DNA sequence: TATTGTTATACTCTATAACTATA
DNA sequence: TATAGTTATAGAGTATAACAATA
């Protein structure tokens, strides 16, 4: 049994702070990191009920979008080492969500495809993601949500973040 | 030498997507997780140049804000197990940033305090955080930054996120 | 000889549990 | 007997390196 913070968190007596410059940032960057981690954790809970880890979801989406790609290609896109893809795909194949097919053209390759159940599961993931989004943004009305998305998209573009690519694989981001 | 994604990421041929419902979300929740992870990684780089891990920064800030607290109290606030605090404080004490003092009142306790160098380092962290914030939000003008902060603060409050508390310690969030 | 995927190994991080000292 | 902190151990996750099959 773990601790239950938030029960008696003292109200941060900032009056005792030794130096106003060291009191820490309450800015947007910190909020982004904090909310981002929170969002990732909540999403992990939801897909966990489908028996998936967040990394699995990214992989399923990639395979759905571009079926038939090799494991090495996926490893490059994700920024992870090929041996890790082996483990991840082993897992998904064991659950009958993904299928490896030897390439006829180059028999060293495995072409990756979703199974019927993989496609079905990905549908459930999408519904979970929609529910997740709605719960996460419960504080905002539709107009505010749109505005937020616009600001975030602007940041993501300027920071050079690849559209469909995921946190949580970090090799280097 | 790692892979360089983003060099030849094919432009996501959504036309081949098997099912529009499974193409994955391009919504605010995903952007929050993505940007949040990116922000955390960039911040880790900056404080890494000061010889600190992100977890160290959180601990330094807590000790600065409320000097003299016990390790167990910190463990509860962070949501980690006490033995981990031992390791983290060992590390910070080894760098002469933090000092353990036996409590006179209850000699089982260690009261934690920043050293002079700890205070100095925390100042450097604050400057790094400011530079980080500025770089992360480069795409937005001041008015947009304010607007973003407001929306994020609203979300954080509604989601019950503790004001000063950090991602990256997760036991349960 | 180079490349795809796999297996074997090692390393890092963190939690669990046993232990010491104070109370 | 209970609590603060420490130490020892074990488990999960991931990278590195050696290897087999194919080109």
């Amino acid at each position: 049994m773990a601790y239950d913070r938030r029960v008696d968190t003292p109200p941060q007596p900032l009056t005792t702070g030794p130096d106003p410059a060291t009191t820490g940032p309450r800015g947007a960057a910190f909020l982004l990191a904090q909310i981002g981690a929170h969002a990732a954790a909540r999403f992990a809970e939801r897909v966990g009920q489908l028996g998936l880890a967040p990394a699995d979801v990214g992989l399923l989406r990639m395979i759905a979008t571009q079926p038939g790609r090799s494991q090495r290609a996926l490893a490059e896109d994700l920024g992870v080492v090929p041996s890790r893809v082996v483990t991840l795909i082993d897992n998904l194949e064991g659950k009958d969500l993904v299928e490896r097919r030897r390439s006829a053209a180059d028999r060293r390759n495995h072409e990756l495809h979703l199974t019927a159940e993989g496609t079905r599961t990905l549908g459930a993931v999408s519904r979970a993601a929609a529910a997740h989004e709605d719960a996460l943004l419960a504080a905002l009305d539709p107009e505010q949500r749109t505005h937020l998305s616009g600001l975030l998209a602007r940041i993501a573009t300027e920071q050079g973040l690849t559209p469909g690519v995921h946190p949580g694989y970090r090799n280097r981001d």
Side-chain angles (χ1 to χ4, degrees), chain A:
Chain A
M1 235 40 353
Y3 304 91
D4 48 357
R5 290 172 284 137
R6 112 186 39 181
V7 165
D8 62 346
T9 305
Q12 298 268 97
L14 295 179
T15 44
T16 52
D19 176 355
T22 61
T23 333
R26 302 258 18 85
F30 182 84
L31 282 167
L32 281 168
Q34 186 187 33
I35 294 171
H38 173 75
R42 293 293 82 73
F43 183 69
E45 277 179 6
R46 287 182 188 269
V47 298
Q49 294 180 333
L50 300 169
L52 298 174
D56 296 329
V57 172
L59 227 51
L60 286 177
R61 286 209 178 108
M62 279 188 145
I63 297 170
T65 310
Q66 305 187 347
R69 301 184 74 207
S70 72
Q71 295 181 194
R72 185 157 294 262
L74 259 61
E76 290 191 17
D77 276 13
L78 293 166
V80 300
V81 78
S83 66
R84 190 178 170 194
V85 177
V86 174
T87 311
L88 289 165
I89 299 292
D90 278 352
N91 182 26
L92 293 174
E93 202 176 34
K95 289 175 185 156
D96 260 321
L97 304 177
V98 164
E99 193 185 355
R100 284 173 165 110
R101 298 185 199 154
R102 277 283 171 206
S103 166
D106 182 340
R107 294 183 42 75
R108 292 173 300 184
N109 276 332
H110 276 154
E111 296 174 354
L112 299 174
H113 297 269
L114 290 191
T115 64
E117 185 168 347
T119 304
R120 210 157 37 228
T121 297
L122 199 47
V125 167
S126 291
R127 288 188 292 280
H132 165 64
E133 169 124 359
D134 205 57
L136 186 70
L137 304 181
L140 306 185
D141 63 36
E143 190 188 359
Q144 290 172 319
R145 295 184 190 193
T146 305
H147 201 135
L148 176 65
S149 290
L151 294 171
L152 294 176
R154 218 176 277 239
I155 293 173
T157 300
E158 191 275 334
Q159 294 286 304
L161 297 178
T162 313
V165 180
H166 7 80
Y169 294 102
R170 67 190 51 113
N171 195 3
R172 56 172 174 181
D173 195 19

